[in-house]
Amino acid sequence: MSVNEVTWQPKILVFACNWCTYAGADLTGLSRLQYPATVRILRVPCSGRINPQFVLKAFQKGVDAVLVAGCHPGDCHYTTGNYFTRRRFLIMRRLMEYVGLEPERLQARWISAAEAPKFQQVITEISEQIRALGPNRKLRDEEWKI
Amino acid sequence: MKYAYFPGCSLATTGREYDMSTKEIAEVLGIELWEIPDWNCCGASSAHLTDYRLALALPARNMAIAEEAGLDVAIPCAACYARSKAVEAAVTSSEETREEIEEIIERKYSGKSKAKALLDIMANDVPESLITKQVVNPLKGIRAACYYGCLLVRPLNTGFDDPEDPRSMDKLIKVLGGETVDWAYKTECCGASHPTTKRGVGFQMLDRILANAKEAGANCLVTACPLCLNNLDMRQGQVEKAYQKKYGLPVYYFTELMGLAFGIEPAKLGLNKHFVDAMPLVQEVLKLKSGRESA
Amino acid sequence: MKRVGVFVCHCGTNIGAVVDCPQVAEKAMDFPGVVYSVDYKYMCSEPGQEMIKKAVQEHRLDRVVVASCSPRMHERTFQRCVEGAGLNSYFVEMANIREHCSWVHAGEPEKATEKAMDLVKMAVAKVVKNKPLQKATIPVTDRALVIGGGIAGIQAALDIANAGHVVDIVEKEPSIGGKMAQIDKTFPTLDCSACILTPKMVEAASHPNINLLTYSEVEKVEGFVGNFDVTIKKKARSVNMDVCTGCGLCMEKCPKKVDSEFELKMSKRRAIYTPFPQAIPNKPVIDRENCTYFNTGKCGICSKVCPAGAVDYTQEDEYLTRRYGAIVVAIGFELFDYSVIGEYGYGKYPDVITGLHFERLVNASGPTLGKIKRPSDHKEPKNVVFIKCVGSRDPAKGKSYCSKACCMYTAKHATLVREKIKDSNIYIFYMDVRTPGKGYDEFYNRTREQYGANYIRGRVSKIYQQGERLIVRGEDTLLGRPVEIEADLVVLATAMVAQPGAGQLAQKLGIGYDKDHFYTEAHPKLAPVETHTQGVYLAGACQGPKDIPESVAQASAAAAKVCGLLSKREMLTEPIVSEVNESICAGCGMCVAICPYKAIELKTISERIQGQTVERQVASVNGGLCQGCGACTVACRSAALNLKHFTDQQILAEVNALCL
Amino acid sequence: MEDLTLVLRRTAKEILEKGEAQMVIGWEKGAFWYSSTSAFISKPEDTERLIWDEYCVNNLAKYLLDYRHKEGKVAVFVKGCDSRALNVLLQDKQLKREKILIIGLACPGMKDEVEARKLGRGSSIPLYKKCRECRYPNALNYDFFIGEDKVIKEIPAQDDFSEVQALESLSPDEKYNKFVANYERCLRCYACRNICPACNCRECIFDRTASGWSSKANNVSENMFFALTRALHVAGRCVGCGECERACPVNIPIMLLNKKIIQDINALFGEYEAGTDVTAKLPLGGFEFTDPEEFM
């Protein structure tokens, strides 16, 4: 799927944990807080379920940015799931930046089920950052020409 | 301890004794006050009534000069302090405002040098031990109602005291050996310009403050703002006439009482320049002191 | 190849107004696997579900995708629906095109429609990989735990016990009763709080199925629904409960006087004390912080005078662990400490008090034996000012919500002042008067008409002491002018806030809580007494500010839920658990360390390798303990572990579908 | 190092004769003067083939996996890096300590084979880069040690992350260009995985396309997915033995990824030297409540 500059819209994949961020996104809907339609939310039971390899695969398949989102440490429905996520993605984010991916393209945030405004604000913020950065060409299936 | 010193227009005119006493006690305490060269008026209420940028640029220029000398600024008058703190807050919180102001005053001003109320310095920065060491005449016989006014401790300027129940001046007076009374009108407005322009409103506000102080058993008022002192001191006679009451409460600057405690000659502190005669209470303090010594 | 049916819901206009549902349904036909696709006004309705069932028969569908609202809302509904059509209930996936699409992209219909298509495409890609799953059964321990011994906790315990189940009540204070024990009268009937509470307390204490664990706290909670292993810390009472007869002699003789928390420090209690006369259990506790014996080693009078020799200074804190099938959390509320904000001088002026102080003053067993007296000089007040919404509905003070019960109890207080002080003047500063219950508004009107309370609509800006009296400065917005009242007594209706320890307890239980630390119910409308953690239920003010009738109603509701759970020896559990592919597992044990529920252990298996029978270790998942978080699947490098219903293949399919 | 070879042979012979182990894994001279390959000796007389010279760079630890179900014990010679590798295998529960007889050596650093081939015999040949920076030349975990006197004293204080930091300072596109330039060459021969002691899965996800993780396509994107995934899999367990780089037929600087992760783990979760303590908790095998917080 080649990238057409003119009609390009940012495509952002959000891995959202079912108990907090997914519920937060629902609350954002219930409160009718609008945000850009650039985001697709993928539900996982816990942020601990998000395998860094899913993130690599997403970039390979042409996603422009990935947000890993879950409960605030201590609030996890499974008590400690998000502590692993934190440790893994502290390493993962640095590794991806190290190989040349713009830091804005892989973000992780804690958003609880009550923080609808925060969900809206984070999504809007990332969407604008990615719109400014333009389409992602790195780690993709296509040939890399610079 | 070295501070840039911004006296402001009042201390050059109606608040003469505030300036005199400040300089005297600074000397005694070994605090160097470097008066900001060619300082300009802080704009007080007239500036921020006319133009927002003017109201910020005026105090900003003084603060910028102090910042160039790398000094925090000691500001006795509550209004000057409020305006300087306002520009400090505006400049540090928004990049855009800082550039705009710097362009107007053609100087760099980042808000690194802090505007400090003189009361804040004396009550919080100067170590208590340094003050007690200088006390020669403990203020026995002074039962002061500490009056902070409505501007000095309000949220924008605060940080150094509780806006609802300030105690820094009370603490200072106690350190000097005096007594303070707990009363409810510490932060009620003295009417500012009203006693001059709208007597009916202004006098009523002054009457309440004086009555409450009297009722609380105070024998004098202490303040840190030239306008408050003006109203409470100069207008006290007129209020007494208007309400057929007798208050007779001398009104001091806290710096004057500090000077008195440090044994500085009252005339040098400007204690003889008050409308409500401030000397009898001063004599009493000195008499008590000498009485103790001779007994 | 799978035969997938896609059903796009309009949800009335909630989705249909923004997302072009017919177009989405039509586009869905292009997705691999989709053989039938239709849109309809209300998929979750009876006809909607019938449509799904009919389509499954007619088009031999074996997978279903419903594009509608959040799966957190109707996943159960559609799982049961497809089960009714003969499919495995896990052969359905939902695409959230309402909360995550139409409601949040109202201004961009085309983009919302395009997004809806993507979400449907992801759901189809996932559902194609769904495997049939059967619910497993786990044992249910026939015992319930109620945390909190206030009216909500007591009511819940009684209902559960009357249904024949054993209940333990854990209460951190020496006696059950909670806040209601401090209250004098209750609205709207004005019957005395103790008269309706103490019988329930006695019933709870004497009920064969109920065990009271007072002066105790929950230390740790492990396990899961049906099998909660709760460690309870029984703080040392220094009194042997079996021997003590509750005669009270020790409390008389104890020399050490301490401010009584129950009386809000308006009167004293002894170091060995029961919080209030009708305390249950009516056996004292030694407050070790203030007891002279524990501080200096001297005294010991209580043990000397005790006829039964029940005093035992050597008693230690005791930890006991019990298994429970269900937990009801009913820890109630606390009043917002308004001394933090100086405007009203609460904490500085003794005659500025809260509603709870007033309850104690007006209570017959209170510090003033029911006579309303000013804490400062014990004189009877003539002008009494009530101020409502103190801290509530005030984001600047951090409490944005309405505390619900203050309007009614302030009206009640006004009535009581009039009854006790005939010639008093009563002023009530309010923003609104909220009387949302049966007989509430009539009660409020009576206070205005019969009891002559002056309701002043406006906020109070400052209170200060002037001589004996308190000057209350406010504004009467109806008359549009400032108001100043010289009051003898000011009563603040402060906000209801969560108990200080609520956050930690929530983390122990693994339940959610909101920004004000009130507990989050599973669904505000559909599941108000459940939490997201199966088996943990809520009752009373810990879920949000409410009055006694509502707390009792919630308590009985929670009890009904518990009885529903405990009535079965076993219960079905979600089959969403991890499973191990033993041929791939190398037995490295990374997953064992990571599992929060210790549901994985290494077991030894024997295998023939190169002609030899060899013993080696592999991971094995205990389906009962596993709660399906999936952390182990990521720790497992060789992907030997996979989480059913959220397998690597399913998630990868969703990721791939998003981008091709 | 001549005399040690004799000691080596005598030790191996005694072990086999006394039956302390059924096999001894060591090194023997390879086809060229600059290469010594691994030797698997089970008969006492064959121990004559064993040698210890400056080209015994092969990490023998991973061979033990092939003999873990053999009755009796297997003896193995380990340099510093080999013993760390062996510790990782023990931490991963892939080997039973009681089935292995470990003979430790002090490693003076091995000569760079590629340079040797270029410069020819007789000239002075530099050590491998990894040996110049090596901080654990002496075997850590052994049953007995050969060459007590040869123990190396002066050791660099910490790892050298200069290359990593140099790469970090580049702009995103420059970094990505370098990354692509390296992994364009990757043949997906998986030599790096096969030789790596930290890669000890029974069945690798890259050998199972059914797992859906990766395809066989040999394009840059799949290569990068493999490289990054492997880096994350060995994170916290890579002992820096550098065998992956040595084994790579197209000389991809694989250690650049592993060293970056080692640097970040040290910075984020505290200093951790993989394979130096068998009882230590693997950094990415758990968590701390006090981990740095960046996602608030």
Tab-separated table of all heavy atoms in Angstrom, chain C residues 461-499:
chain	number	residue	atom	x	y	z
C	461	SER	N	-19.243	34.437	52.169
C	461	SER	CA	-17.855	34.725	51.729
C	461	SER	C	-16.902	34.660	52.908
C	461	SER	O	-15.769	34.218	52.760
C	461	SER	CB	-17.791	36.128	51.137
C	461	SER	OG	-18.017	37.058	52.199
C	462	LYS	N	-17.329	35.109	54.093
C	462	LYS	CA	-16.356	35.119	55.194
C	462	LYS	C	-17.095	35.039	56.526
C	462	LYS	O	-18.205	35.550	56.669
C	462	LYS	CB	-15.568	36.436	55.139
C	462	LYS	CG	-14.386	36.510	56.122
C	462	LYS	CD	-13.622	37.827	55.907
C	462	LYS	CE	-12.566	38.040	56.981
C	462	LYS	NZ	-11.343	37.228	56.740
C	463	ILE	N	-16.446	34.338	57.461
C	463	ILE	CA	-16.986	34.317	58.839
C	463	ILE	C	-15.851	34.776	59.751
C	463	ILE	O	-14.715	34.331	59.595
C	463	ILE	CB	-17.409	32.875	59.234
C	463	ILE	CG1	-18.547	32.379	58.340
C	463	ILE	CG2	-17.823	32.819	60.709
C	463	ILE	CD1	-18.920	30.934	58.600
C	464	TYR	N	-16.153	35.707	60.632
C	464	TYR	CA	-15.088	36.048	61.589
C	464	TYR	C	-15.717	36.332	62.949
C	464	TYR	O	-16.886	36.655	63.062
C	464	TYR	CB	-14.272	37.244	61.101
C	464	TYR	CG	-15.072	38.465	60.748
C	464	TYR	CD1	-15.396	39.410	61.716
C	464	TYR	CD2	-15.527	38.656	59.439
C	464	TYR	CE1	-16.156	40.517	61.396
C	464	TYR	CE2	-16.276	39.751	59.119
C	464	TYR	CZ	-16.593	40.688	60.100
C	464	TYR	OH	-17.346	41.782	59.789
C	465	GLN	N	-14.871	36.188	63.949
C	465	GLN	CA	-15.342	36.335	65.337
C	465	GLN	C	-15.326	37.811	65.698
C	465	GLN	O	-14.373	38.533	65.390
C	465	GLN	CB	-14.365	35.579	66.264
C	465	GLN	CG	-14.756	35.549	67.716
C	465	GLN	CD	-15.359	34.208	68.115
C	465	GLN	OE1	-15.103	33.201	67.464
C	465	GLN	NE2	-16.219	34.224	69.126
C	466	GLN	N	-16.393	38.266	66.283
C	466	GLN	CA	-16.376	39.649	66.807
C	466	GLN	C	-16.940	39.577	68.211
C	466	GLN	O	-18.151	39.334	68.386
C	466	GLN	CB	-17.226	40.563	65.924
C	466	GLN	CG	-17.010	42.029	66.271
C	466	GLN	CD	-17.388	42.913	65.118
C	466	GLN	OE1	-18.434	42.699	64.499
C	466	GLN	NE2	-16.544	43.859	64.778
C	467	GLY	N	-16.022	39.662	69.158
C	467	GLY	CA	-16.461	39.507	70.548
C	467	GLY	C	-17.011	38.095	70.714
C	467	GLY	O	-16.368	37.118	70.359
C	468	GLU	N	-18.251	37.985	71.231
C	468	GLU	CA	-18.862	36.670	71.505
C	468	GLU	C	-19.400	36.055	70.222
C	468	GLU	O	-19.505	34.830	70.108
C	468	GLU	CB	-20.068	36.884	72.457
C	468	GLU	CG	-19.668	37.267	73.880
C	468	GLU	CD	-19.649	36.027	74.759
C	468	GLU	OE1	-20.649	35.272	74.688
C	468	GLU	OE2	-18.603	35.805	75.389
C	469	ARG	N	-19.770	36.892	69.276
C	469	ARG	CA	-20.585	36.377	68.169
C	469	ARG	C	-19.746	36.204	66.906
C	469	ARG	O	-18.641	36.736	66.772
C	469	ARG	CB	-21.741	37.348	67.891
C	469	ARG	CG	-22.383	37.844	69.194
C	469	ARG	CD	-23.711	38.443	68.975
C	469	ARG	NE	-24.759	37.423	68.730
C	469	ARG	CZ	-26.052	37.731	68.758
C	469	ARG	NH1	-26.449	38.964	69.026
C	469	ARG	NH2	-26.954	36.801	68.513
C	470	LEU	N	-20.308	35.420	65.990
C	470	LEU	CA	-19.643	35.169	64.695
C	470	LEU	C	-20.357	35.993	63.635
C	470	LEU	O	-21.582	35.912	63.481
C	470	LEU	CB	-19.763	33.673	64.329
C	470	LEU	CG	-18.952	32.715	65.228
C	470	LEU	CD1	-19.401	31.289	65.005
C	470	LEU	CD2	-17.469	32.866	64.884
C	471	ILE	N	-19.597	36.847	62.936
C	471	ILE	CA	-20.208	37.647	61.864
C	471	ILE	C	-20.154	36.820	60.582
C	471	ILE	O	-19.072	36.453	60.111
C	471	ILE	CB	-19.418	38.975	61.656
C	471	ILE	CG1	-19.208	39.701	62.986
C	471	ILE	CG2	-20.135	39.831	60.640
C	471	ILE	CD1	-20.484	40.073	63.710
C	472	VAL	N	-21.338	36.485	60.080
C	472	VAL	CA	-21.398	35.685	58.833
C	472	VAL	C	-21.719	36.655	57.697
C	472	VAL	O	-22.790	37.275	57.669
C	472	VAL	CB	-22.507	34.603	58.939
C	472	VAL	CG1	-22.590	33.834	57.632
C	472	VAL	CG2	-22.193	33.678	60.105
C	473	ARG	N	-20.783	36.828	56.794
C	473	ARG	CA	-20.966	37.783	55.686
C	473	ARG	C	-21.304	37.000	54.428
C	473	ARG	O	-20.521	36.149	54.002
C	473	ARG	CB	-19.642	38.506	55.435
C	473	ARG	CG	-19.541	39.821	56.130
C	473	ARG	CD	-19.149	40.893	55.107
C	473	ARG	NE	-18.507	42.013	55.829
C	473	ARG	CZ	-17.207	42.256	55.742
C	473	ARG	NH1	-16.435	41.477	54.993
C	473	ARG	NH2	-16.689	43.250	56.411
C	474	GLY	N	-22.439	37.245	53.872
C	474	GLY	CA	-22.794	36.499	52.654
C	474	GLY	C	-23.562	37.397	51.723
C	474	GLY	O	-23.453	38.627	51.814
C	475	GLU	N	-24.329	36.760	50.840
C	475	GLU	CA	-25.052	37.550	49.834
C	475	GLU	C	-26.409	36.896	49.621
C	475	GLU	O	-26.523	35.666	49.636
C	475	GLU	CB	-24.241	37.508	48.536
C	475	GLU	CG	-24.824	38.310	47.399
C	475	GLU	CD	-24.205	37.893	46.063
C	475	GLU	OE1	-23.519	36.841	46.036
C	475	GLU	OE2	-24.417	38.579	45.069
C	476	ASP	N	-27.424	37.711	49.469
C	476	ASP	CA	-28.751	37.163	49.163
C	476	ASP	C	-29.002	37.458	47.681
C	476	ASP	O	-29.353	38.571	47.298
C	476	ASP	CB	-29.814	37.860	50.038
C	476	ASP	CG	-31.184	37.199	49.801
C	476	ASP	OD1	-31.367	36.631	48.700
C	476	ASP	OD2	-32.034	37.255	50.687
C	477	THR	N	-28.771	36.438	46.854
C	477	THR	CA	-28.823	36.689	45.394
C	477	THR	C	-30.252	36.974	44.948
C	477	THR	O	-30.476	37.608	43.926
C	477	THR	CB	-28.314	35.440	44.643
C	477	THR	OG1	-29.045	34.311	45.135
C	477	THR	CG2	-26.829	35.240	44.876
C	478	LEU	N	-31.257	36.525	45.713
C	478	LEU	CA	-32.637	36.817	45.279
C	478	LEU	C	-32.930	38.294	45.481
C	478	LEU	O	-33.599	38.937	44.673
C	478	LEU	CB	-33.626	35.954	46.070
C	478	LEU	CG	-33.457	34.423	45.841
C	478	LEU	CD1	-34.487	33.647	46.632
C	478	LEU	CD2	-33.567	34.112	44.351
C	479	LEU	N	-32.423	38.880	46.586
C	479	LEU	CA	-32.657	40.312	46.818
C	479	LEU	C	-31.536	41.135	46.191
C	479	LEU	O	-31.628	42.343	46.102
C	479	LEU	CB	-32.705	40.589	48.326
C	479	LEU	CG	-33.817	39.849	49.096
C	479	LEU	CD1	-33.708	40.170	50.590
C	479	LEU	CD2	-35.177	40.254	48.555
C	480	GLY	N	-30.474	40.481	45.820
C	480	GLY	CA	-29.381	41.174	45.146
C	480	GLY	C	-28.619	42.114	46.057
C	480	GLY	O	-28.160	43.164	45.634
C	481	ARG	N	-28.513	41.749	47.366
C	481	ARG	CA	-27.713	42.640	48.218
C	481	ARG	C	-26.946	41.803	49.242
C	481	ARG	O	-27.332	40.676	49.559
C	481	ARG	CB	-28.604	43.657	48.931
C	481	ARG	CG	-29.696	43.055	49.804
C	481	ARG	CD	-30.374	44.156	50.623
C	481	ARG	NE	-31.529	43.629	51.369
C	481	ARG	CZ	-31.412	42.788	52.409
C	481	ARG	NH1	-30.232	42.381	52.803
C	481	ARG	NH2	-32.495	42.356	53.028
C	482	PRO	N	-25.806	42.363	49.728
C	482	PRO	CA	-25.042	41.604	50.722
C	482	PRO	C	-25.845	41.419	52.009
C	482	PRO	O	-26.748	42.202	52.290
C	482	PRO	CB	-23.796	42.457	50.959
C	482	PRO	CG	-24.097	43.797	50.421
C	482	PRO	CD	-25.206	43.659	49.432
C	483	VAL	N	-25.494	40.373	52.733
C	483	VAL	CA	-26.214	40.053	53.989
C	483	VAL	C	-25.182	39.835	55.087
C	483	VAL	O	-24.115	39.274	54.825
C	483	VAL	CB	-27.023	38.723	53.780
C	483	VAL	CG1	-27.401	38.100	55.115
C	483	VAL	CG2	-28.236	38.981	52.914
C	484	GLU	N	-25.472	40.324	56.259
C	484	GLU	CA	-24.537	40.099	57.377
C	484	GLU	C	-25.358	39.650	58.581
C	484	GLU	O	-26.340	40.311	58.945
C	484	GLU	CB	-23.815	41.412	57.710
C	484	GLU	CG	-22.409	41.163	58.237
C	484	GLU	CD	-21.600	42.467	58.281
C	484	GLU	OE1	-21.744	43.201	59.272
C	484	GLU	OE2	-20.905	42.717	57.292
C	485	ILE	N	-24.960	38.511	59.135
C	485	ILE	CA	-25.738	37.977	60.269
C	485	ILE	C	-24.797	37.770	61.444
C	485	ILE	O	-23.697	37.219	61.276
C	485	ILE	CB	-26.394	36.620	59.897
C	485	ILE	CG1	-27.380	36.801	58.746
C	485	ILE	CG2	-27.070	35.982	61.103
C	485	ILE	CD1	-27.891	35.479	58.184
C	486	GLU	N	-25.228	38.217	62.597
C	486	GLU	CA	-24.450	37.943	63.804
C	486	GLU	C	-24.949	36.612	64.359
C	486	GLU	O	-26.083	36.529	64.848
C	486	GLU	CB	-24.670	39.070	64.833
C	486	GLU	CG	-24.024	40.372	64.382
C	486	GLU	CD	-24.116	41.453	65.476
C	486	GLU	OE1	-24.431	41.076	66.614
C	486	GLU	OE2	-23.888	42.623	65.159
C	487	ALA	N	-24.110	35.614	64.216
C	487	ALA	CA	-24.583	34.256	64.583
C	487	ALA	C	-23.919	33.812	65.880
C	487	ALA	O	-22.809	34.248	66.210
C	487	ALA	CB	-24.206	33.290	63.464
C	488	ASP	N	-24.640	32.960	66.599
C	488	ASP	CA	-24.050	32.359	67.808
C	488	ASP	C	-23.403	31.017	67.470
C	488	ASP	O	-22.469	30.571	68.109
C	488	ASP	CB	-25.155	32.126	68.864
C	488	ASP	CG	-25.829	33.448	69.202
C	488	ASP	OD1	-25.080	34.390	69.514
C	488	ASP	OD2	-27.065	33.535	69.057
C	489	LEU	N	-23.962	30.380	66.421
C	489	LEU	CA	-23.470	29.028	66.075
C	489	LEU	C	-23.565	28.904	64.563
C	489	LEU	O	-24.548	29.322	63.969
C	489	LEU	CB	-24.360	27.966	66.751
C	489	LEU	CG	-23.935	26.487	66.528
C	489	LEU	CD1	-22.593	26.219	67.222
C	489	LEU	CD2	-25.003	25.543	67.092
C	490	VAL	N	-22.501	28.389	63.940
C	490	VAL	CA	-22.529	28.168	62.481
C	490	VAL	C	-22.297	26.683	62.223
C	490	VAL	O	-21.331	26.103	62.748
C	490	VAL	CB	-21.429	28.994	61.774
C	490	VAL	CG1	-21.390	28.665	60.284
C	490	VAL	CG2	-21.663	30.482	61.991
C	491	VAL	N	-23.203	26.078	61.461
C	491	VAL	CA	-23.072	24.647	61.151
C	491	VAL	C	-22.801	24.514	59.658
C	491	VAL	O	-23.576	24.985	58.831
C	491	VAL	CB	-24.368	23.875	61.527
C	491	VAL	CG1	-24.159	22.383	61.254
C	491	VAL	CG2	-24.743	24.114	62.989
C	492	LEU	N	-21.667	23.871	59.327
C	492	LEU	CA	-21.292	23.707	57.907
C	492	LEU	C	-21.713	22.314	57.435
C	492	LEU	O	-21.380	21.317	58.085
C	492	LEU	CB	-19.773	23.841	57.731
C	492	LEU	CG	-19.092	25.088	58.318
C	492	LEU	CD1	-17.593	25.036	58.061
C	492	LEU	CD2	-19.714	26.344	57.726
C	493	ALA	N	-22.401	22.269	56.295
C	493	ALA	CA	-22.733	20.951	55.701
C	493	ALA	C	-21.575	20.603	54.773
C	493	ALA	O	-21.606	20.892	53.580
C	493	ALA	CB	-24.039	21.050	54.931
C	494	THR	N	-20.518	20.014	55.392
C	494	THR	CA	-19.298	19.765	54.589
C	494	THR	C	-19.495	18.552	53.679
C	494	THR	O	-20.320	17.676	53.947
C	494	THR	CB	-18.106	19.478	55.526
C	494	THR	OG1	-18.585	18.575	56.523
C	494	THR	CG2	-17.604	20.736	56.166
C	495	ALA	N	-18.648	18.519	52.659
C	495	ALA	CA	-18.779	17.479	51.618
C	495	ALA	C	-18.494	16.099	52.201
C	495	ALA	O	-17.743	15.954	53.166
C	495	ALA	CB	-17.772	17.764	50.500
C	496	MET	N	-19.135	15.095	51.608
C	496	MET	CA	-18.820	13.692	51.950
C	496	MET	C	-17.635	13.280	51.074
C	496	MET	O	-17.681	13.459	49.847
C	496	MET	CB	-20.016	12.801	51.581
C	496	MET	CG	-21.064	12.626	52.637
C	496	MET	SD	-22.079	11.209	52.150
C	496	MET	CE	-23.623	11.628	52.951
C	497	VAL	N	-16.598	12.760	51.701
C	497	VAL	CA	-15.459	12.285	50.905
C	497	VAL	C	-15.209	10.815	51.249
C	497	VAL	O	-15.754	10.304	52.222
C	497	VAL	CB	-14.186	13.111	51.195
C	497	VAL	CG1	-14.367	14.541	50.747
C	497	VAL	CG2	-13.798	13.028	52.656
C	498	ALA	N	-14.364	10.210	50.425
C	498	ALA	CA	-14.084	8.775	50.644
C	498	ALA	C	-13.254	8.616	51.921
C	498	ALA	O	-12.565	9.548	52.362
C	498	ALA	CB	-13.310	8.216	49.448
C	499	GLN	N	-13.323	7.442	52.523
C	499	GLN	CA	-12.501	7.133	53.704
C	499	GLN	C	-11.025	7.326	53.325
C	499	GLN	O	-10.627	6.984	52.203
C	499	GLN	CB	-12.733	5.657	54.115
C	499	GLN	CG	-14.056	5.407	54.800
C	499	GLN	CD	-13.992	5.777	56.295
C	499	GLN	OE1	-12.924	6.186	56.792
C	499	GLN	NE2	-15.125	5.724	56.976
